Amino acid sequence: MTEHRLFDGSLHDRERLRLLLEQMPGILWTVDRELRFTSSMGGALSALGLETNQVVGMSLFEYFRTDDPDFPPIEAHRRALDGGVSSLETTWDERTFEVHVEPFRDAGGGIQGAIGVAFDVTEGKRAEVALRESERKYRTLFEESKDAIYVSATDGTLADFNKSMMTLFGYTREEMEKLNAEEMYVHAADRHEFRQVIEREGGVTDYELQLVGKDGTVMDCLLSSTVQHGEHGEILGYQGIIRDITHRKQAQEKLRKEKEFSDAAIGSLPGLFYLLDEQGRFVRWNRNVERVSGYSSNELSILDPFEFFIGEDKQAIIDAVKDVFEKGSGSVEVDLVAKDGSRKPYFFTGKAVILDGKRCLVGMAISLDEQRRLERQLRQSQKMEAVGRLAGGIAHDFNNILTIILSNTEFLLKDGSPHDRRNEELGEIRSAAERAASLTGQLLAFSRKQVLQARVLSLNDVVVNVEKMLRRLIGEDIELVTMLAPSLWSVEADPGQIEQIIMNLAVNARDAMPSGGKLSIQSGNVELDEAFAKTHYPIVPGRYVMLVVSDNGVGMDADTHSRIFEPFFTTKQRGQGTGLGLSTVYGIVKQSGGYIWAYSEPGQGTTFEIYLPRVEKAAERLKPATAAAPRVPASEVVLLVEDEKLVRALARRILEGDGYTVLEADGAREAIEISGQHEGGIDLLLTDVVMPEVNGPELADRLAGDRPDMQVLYMSGYTDHAALRQGVWEADASLIQKPFGPDTLLRKVQEVLSPRELAG
């Protein structure tokens, strides 16, 4: 039988052995008894930066750079020289080696030195450390994770779980170890369905279902889980993460509701809401943008917002947007051009904001239609007020002049011969003066400077009293319809002036229906709210009595409508009207504390709405006018006070001519002196209302203490007295309005004095 040997001692075999030792994965070395290297070889030398036999002749102390005989590697070699064997782990040059050292013997068994072998286990050690660290980190993550982590068997037994799992469900570790997973599901069928999905798919991510805690709390949860397989592919169980999203879902629901609220709030804003990106493109808008512009949502999403503007307005809006992004905010008033070409004034505002890390412009636009309408109303009101002041001033002075003209004309007619040819001319003068007096009365009504004899009344009574006269006035070809509300609230007004309002409006309606038509008068109780007040400047919300006069005549265009209350404005031919009818109506309504609006379109007729404030008093019954009392001879003493010299002289002449004794004063101071010096009685104080320093009512109050039986009669064309600033005279006060003639003055004086005569 042939013997096979790996090495036979030949030179070739020795070379093979050398190569084998040099390439071994470890290091092989020998040292003599002086602990000097006699050989070194092995593939691991390169890790230490050495070559084969490079350290031969170097002592271990030199190599390890130490003189410590107890240094572990040196100690192992010394022990080998004594016949011992050592195995140790040591680190050198940042690498870890497992070292084995034993005696190196000769053929006779004697110890010649030591032989050692070492294997580099650095990477293995590192892997081991990394594995342990990985396991430690995994366990730390497992235990410290805020999410609940579990490992379960297919039957629902929990093999492992972390602290968050116990916290989430409220169980102790001992309780959870005995728990079956099915007990954690609100519905047992959910676990069955979950198992089917996970086993079919091999894993699930963010699978949403409801779980229940120990205390019965139901939680919305997300499960991310995978299947665990055995060596042969069988399913051993499941491992996964449970995340409680109850609060998140509640937050999402809250956000959803807030978004719904935000959308509803933005959608209900009265103006335009818009959100633009830095390139000026629409990001978001409310429904009003679509409604006002006429563009659909799809059109707006691709539309350049600057296309809403033209000309100078377009450049103005571009500059405003630039200001927003450069300065933080901006605003501008421009006209928005809708899809149909119509222009609408708006006030645009914008502010720069950061949304999702991007600069945007959020803004609002408020319609200026109402503001501009109110501005037009204010300008019209101011114009009417200015014209009224001018008209009132002229009428006041003119009334004094007319009083003198009328009275002197009466004197001339009375003193002259009935056959005097100048009587005709005097009659013309009187007629002209009376027409002038009528005009000044209308001017005073418009300017709200006339004195109203206010009473608490029902507008229904006024309409009923004037109805017969109206039917004769408007003619048979016009139908008169009255719709008077029952239980109508009371108002405080001058019944005669309210009648004049109705008559003037009826005449106006008659002229607007030359071929006949229908005239309607309606009354009612109304409560006007803030919304109505905002569109009907300057009315204030409250309770009012409404009087509506409407016709189905020719109507008015916008230009005519805007000027109908201006004095002397008329659409009638020259000589057919003064243009003071509607201005008189306007003035009486305003002076009575009310408001009036007109609504009209060509061919659609005209409606006037009058609102007078409600008063909480019962209405007085209106009495028909009585015939004037017959004149009786005069013998009373009259204290006449008038600062206008010609009017005072005229009044004195009239009174003395009828038998009265007249004490004349040019003002309140002189009147007080005369009263104090006059030893006899004074039956009547006849005084102007408006005088320098002390006015008529104040003078009457001062004299009343010494002369309680003295009657008072006031004269006035109009008054700005503080007590009468609204132009409403006290019901029990006596007044004669300028201009007046001799007969008018004498009748009024007799009327005021007659109660004394009857009492006497």
Side-chain angles (χ1 to χ4, degrees):
M1 182 174 180
T2 304
E3 182 181 357
H4 295 280
R5 299 176 61 191
L6 182 62
F7 299 105
D8 58 10
S10 66
L11 179 61
H12 177 70
D13 284 343
R14 289 197 299 274
E15 180 62 22
R16 288 177 63 196
L17 178 60
R18 183 185 66 79
L19 291 174
L20 181 63
L21 291 174
E22 286 181 353
Q23 295 178 30
M24 65 178 289
I27 303 173
L28 179 67
W29 71 89
T30 57
V31 297
D32 59 17
R33 296 192 65 82
E34 283 75 30
L35 299 177
R36 290 182 179 277
F37 286 103
T38 55
S39 66
S40 65
M41 61 189 68
L45 283 174
S46 61
L48 297 174
L50 299 175
E51 297 178 0
T52 302
N53 292 327
Q54 182 178 346
V55 296
V56 171
M58 183 182 293
S59 71
L60 294 178
F61 291 98
E62 291 174 328
Y63 179 76
F64 289 113
R65 297 185 291 278
T66 181
D67 55 4
D68 181 7
D70 295 326
F71 183 62
I74 295 176
E75 172 62 25
H77 285 77
R78 288 176 61 190
R79 189 179 299 115
L81 294 177
D82 292 334
V85 177
S86 299
S87 293
L88 70 154
E89 183 179 290
T90 187
T91 300
W92 185 251
D93 282 350
E94 299 181 353
R95 302 195 70 78
T96 301
F97 295 89
E98 289 185 357
V99 180
H100 181 79
V101 182
E102 61 182 55
F104 180 63
R105 300 176 186 273
D106 58 17
I111 298 175
Q112 294 184 340
I115 184 171
V117 61
F119 293 94
D120 189 346
V121 295
T122 302
E123 299 305 325
K125 287 292 182 180
R126 287 176 179 172
E128 183 181 340
V129 171
L131 179 60
R132 287 198 300 270
E133 179 65 17
S134 175
E135 291 177 346
R136 185 190 67 79
K137 288 181 178 179
Y138 167 77
R139 200 65 202 176
T140 299
L141 289 173
F142 183 86
E143 290 297 337
E144 300 300 329
S145 173
K146 293 182 179 180
D147 293 324
I149 304 176
Y150 70 92
V151 178
S152 69
T154 55
D155 63 359
T157 303
L158 292 172
D160 199 5
F161 46 84
N162 64 354
K163 290 185 292 186
S164 294
M165 185 83 168
M166 295 185 289
T167 301
L168 177 61
F169 290 94
Y171 293 102
T172 64
R173 182 170 293 278
E174 291 74 18
E175 290 172 331
M176 187 154 280
E177 287 174 346
K178 300 175 184 178
L179 196 67
N180 188 284
E182 285 192 2
E183 300 177 53
M184 303 164 66
Y185 286 77
V186 175
H187 307 291
D190 287 350
R191 183 171 187 270
H192 177 71
E193 182 179 342
F194 175 65
R195 286 184 58 189
Q196 287 183 324
V197 173
I198 192 174
E199 290 177 8
R200 182 177 65 249
E201 304 293 338
V204 293
T205 300
D206 291 343
Y207 187 93
E208 187 172 342
L209 47 72
Q210 287 187 318
L211 301 177
V212 61
K214 178 181 177 180
D215 62 0
T217 301
V218 175
M219 299 170 287
D220 294 300
C221 297
L222 290 179
L223 270 67
S224 296
S225 185
T226 57
V227 176
Q228 289 185 315
H229 294 95
E231 293 181 3
H232 304 292
E234 72 276 16
I235 296 176
L236 299 178
Y238 319 101
Q239 61 182 8
I241 296 174
I242 303 174
R243 180 168 296 170
D244 181 8
I245 60 169
T246 304
H247 294 303
R248 188 173 81 184
K249 288 199 72 173
Q250 290 173 345
Q252 288 174 342
E253 179 63 15
K254 182 179 179 182
L255 285 174
R256 184 188 66 78
K257 290 181 178 179
E258 288 179 350
K259 185 179 184 303
E260 286 182 355
F261 174 79
S262 174
D263 290 343
I266 290 173
S268 64
L269 289 173
L272 311 180
F273 170 84
Y274 46 89
L275 183 66
L276 307 180
D277 61 19
E278 199 164 4
Q279 286 69 47
R281 295 170 301 199
F282 276 121
V283 176
R284 192 177 180 188
W285 57 88
N286 66 350
R287 290 188 297 272
N288 284 342
V289 175
E290 300 172 21
R291 179 182 59 80
V292 171
S293 70
Y295 290 98
S296 67
S297 178
N298 290 336
E299 289 173 321
L300 288 173
S301 65
I302 60 175
L303 185 68
D304 179 356
F306 295 127
E307 295 304 313
F308 283 147
F309 312 96
I310 58 176
E312 295 180 356
D313 285 353
K314 186 170 187 176
Q315 187 58 50
I317 200 75
I318 291 173
D319 293 341
V321 171
K322 184 178 179 182
D323 283 345
V324 170
F325 285 113
E326 290 182 354
K327 302 176 183 178
S329 63
S331 62
V332 66
E333 288 187 17
V334 289
D335 285 351
L336 183 151
V337 181
K339 185 177 182 179
D340 61 6
S342 61
R343 301 181 63 155
K344 304 170 184 179
Y346 272 86
F347 177 66
F348 289 84
T349 63
K351 187 174 183 181
V353 296
I354 303 296
L355 294 177
D356 297 329
K358 298 179 181 178
R359 280 160 44 93
C360 296
L361 181 153
V362 61
M364 285 283 298
I366 302 299
S367 172
L368 297 178
D369 274 338
E370 181 63 17
Q371 177 182 327
R372 293 186 180 178
R373 186 185 66 79
L374 291 176
E375 288 174 353
R376 288 193 297 269
Q377 286 186 347
L378 178 60
R379 287 194 297 269
Q380 179 70 6
S381 177
Q382 290 172 336
K383 179 174 73 174
M384 298 286 279
E385 188 69 27
V387 173
R389 285 195 298 269
L390 174 63
I394 294 173
H396 170 258
D397 293 337
F398 200 47
N399 271 337
N400 284 332
I401 298 172
L402 288 174
T403 298
I404 297 168
I405 294 173
L406 281 170
S407 296
N408 282 294
T409 302
E410 290 291 337
F411 286 143
L412 290 173
L413 286 170
K414 186 179 296 184
D415 295 342
S417 168
H419 305 292
D420 193 330
R421 60 181 180 83
R422 291 174 297 178
N423 288 348
E424 185 177 347
E425 285 82 357
L426 289 172
E428 290 294 333
I429 293 173
R430 180 174 61 185
S431 297
E434 288 173 346
R435 288 197 300 273
S438 176
L439 286 175
T440 57
Q442 290 176 305
L443 285 174
L444 287 172
F446 165 73
S447 61
R448 288 167 275 169
K449 300 299 185 181
Q450 64 179 342
V451 180
L452 302 182
Q453 302 283 340
R455 296 172 57 182
V456 177
L457 54 86
S458 168
L459 292 184
N460 286 352
D461 291 344
V462 179
V463 174
V464 171
N465 283 350
V466 79
E467 187 173 354
K468 289 183 179 180
M469 188 185 306
L470 282 180
R471 293 188 185 278
R472 292 195 299 269
L473 178 68
I474 61 178
E476 296 180 356
D477 57 346
I478 295 178
E479 178 187 5
L480 175 62
V481 178
T482 58
M483 295 169 284
L484 307 180
S487 303
L488 194 67
W489 294 333
S490 301
V491 298
E492 190 168 12
D494 186 327
Q497 298 298 328
I498 298 299
E499 288 183 359
Q500 184 176 352
I501 288 175
I502 297 172
M503 297 292 288
N504 285 5
L505 293 179
V507 169
N508 224 53
R510 180 199 63 190
D511 294 343
M513 298 182 287
S515 301
K518 181 178 179 179
L519 172 64
S520 300
I521 301 177
Q522 178 184 358
S523 67
N525 301 324
V526 294
E527 293 194 35
L528 304 181
D529 57 16
E530 290 283 355
F532 185 89
K534 286 181 179 179
T535 57
H536 293 76
Y537 175 85
I539 201 169
V540 295
R543 294 182 173 185
Y544 293 84
V545 177
M546 176 183 68
L547 181 67
V548 180
V549 179
S550 59
D551 65 66
N552 59 356
V554 296
M556 295 178 280
D557 58 27
D559 181 60
T560 301
H561 181 274
S562 67
R563 302 184 61 191
I564 55 174
F565 294 125
E566 293 181 11
F568 305 113
F569 173 76
T570 180
T571 57
K572 299 175 183 177
Q573 294 181 2
R574 186 177 182 87
Q576 293 185 359
T578 62
L580 287 171
L582 289 180
S583 62
T584 300
V585 170
Y586 177 87
I588 295 173
V589 171
K590 289 295 184 180
Q591 194 171 357
S592 301
Y595 305 90
I596 182 170
W597 277 275
Y599 306 93
S600 183
E601 291 183 12
Q604 301 298 315
T606 302
T607 296
F608 289 90
E609 290 183 3
I610 297 169
Y611 298 92
L612 297 178
R614 174 192 181 180
V615 295
E616 301 291 343
K617 299 177 183 177
E620 304 173 24
R621 294 186 65 84
L622 298 182
K623 299 177 182 179
T626 58
R631 294 281 301 276
V632 296
S635 59
E636 291 88 352
V637 176
V638 177
L639 175 57
L640 171 63
V641 188
E642 167 64 65
D643 60 326
E644 181 65 39
K645 181 179 179 181
L646 293 178
V647 176
R648 185 173 70 249
L650 177 64
R652 177 169 188 163
R653 178 182 175 186
I654 295 171
L655 293 171
E656 289 181 340
D658 207 52
Y660 292 99
T661 300
V662 178
L663 305 176
E664 181 181 352
D666 64 0
R669 290 183 180 277
E670 186 177 358
I672 294 171
E673 292 178 2
I674 292 173
S675 176
Q677 296 171 2
H678 183 69
E679 296 180 356
I682 297 179
D683 300 286
L684 176 69
L685 170 65
L686 175 60
T687 178
D688 194 9
V689 174
V690 179
M691 296 184 297
E693 297 182 0
V694 179
N695 58 48
E698 292 173 346
L699 172 61
D701 289 341
R702 293 191 185 186
L703 297 180
D706 295 330
R707 299 183 181 275
D709 295 331
M710 181 178 65
Q711 300 297 307
V712 180
L713 173 59
Y714 295 100
M715 299 179 290
S716 181
Y718 82 104
T719 178
D720 274 334
H721 181 246
L724 310 172
R725 190 141 296 150
Q726 300 302 322
V728 181
W729 194 254
E730 298 175 1
D732 59 350
S734 297
L735 173 74
I736 182 170
Q737 295 196 46
K738 300 175 183 177
F740 53 76
D743 290 341
T744 303
L745 176 60
L746 293 173
R747 278 196 302 270
K748 192 66 178 177
V749 169
Q750 183 180 1
E751 177 185 320
V752 174
L753 290 173
S754 60
R756 289 184 54 183
E757 296 170 0
L758 293 173

